[in-house]
Amino acid sequence: MKKIITLMALMVLGVTTSNAQETSKKTKAASTKISTPKVEGAGMVFVSETIDYGTIAHNADGKREFVFTNNGNAPLIITNAQGSCGCTVPTSPKEPIAPGAKGVIGVKYATDRVGPFTKTVTISSNATGQATKVLTIKGTILADDAQKS
């Protein structure tokens, strides 16, 4: 009899633990979604407006991407993407971004310059309420001799 009660208790505990894990998974999935409020006209919401390269090697790959979503109800048109200096070269979509669609602003930083950096990329578009948007890249590039130690 004790074995049956113990077995039933373990089964109940297993079901309770399973439900708790499923609830935890659902909560995590819901919290990772990005809230993109809808706007009239074209809109532009970035996953992140700053890219931190961290500490990277001299002459490492300097390509990174800013991902955004058109959260409006009209096509988003990027008219210009301008780096703050010649060492920061952005690329942008040439075609309109449909409502609800994602787009990418590429940026390539010249990693042949050693030391810390903070640069900006200014995006011009037809986005309602934010015709220009400033994005930031930052990081530190190690000298060749610093990488060996």
Side-chain angles (χ1 to χ4, degrees):
M1 185 71 164
K2 285 183 183 180
K3 289 181 181 179
I4 293 173
I5 293 173
T6 305
L7 183 59
M8 290 175 68
L10 288 174
M11 288 175 58
V12 169
L13 181 61
V15 170
T16 304
T17 304
S18 175
N19 287 341
Q21 288 175 349
E22 288 177 21
T23 302
S24 176
K25 288 177 186 176
K26 289 177 185 176
T27 303
K28 286 180 184 178
S31 65
T32 58
K33 290 183 180 179
I34 297 171
S35 175
T36 53
K38 297 291 182 186
V39 296
E40 284 296 318
M44 187 168 37
V45 176
F46 285 85
V47 172
S48 176
E49 295 179 13
T50 300
I51 292 178
D52 188 348
Y53 283 62
T55 302
I56 60 173
H58 182 237
N59 290 320
D61 182 14
K63 293 180 182 177
R64 302 292 189 275
E65 295 180 335
F66 289 98
V67 178
F68 64 92
T69 301
N70 177 356
N71 64 329
N73 59 7
L76 173 68
I77 300 169
I78 308 280
T79 55
N80 192 28
Q82 181 69 44
S84 57
C85 70
C87 60
T88 307
V89 181
T91 58
S92 62
K94 302 300 178 214
E95 299 297 320
I97 307 300
K102 292 185 184 288
V104 173
I105 303 292
V107 63
K108 181 175 182 182
Y109 181 71
T111 59
D112 59 340
R113 300 154 193 250
V114 175
F117 66 92
T118 301
K119 303 294 179 185
T120 60
V121 175
T122 303
I123 307 300
S124 301
S125 71
N126 67 332
T128 303
Q130 60 179 15
T132 60
K133 185 72 164 174
V134 178
L135 308 172
T136 304
I137 61 170
K138 63 182 181 176
T140 302
I141 299 175
L142 294 175
D144 289 332
D145 58 347
Q147 296 173 42
K148 294 175 185 172
S149 48

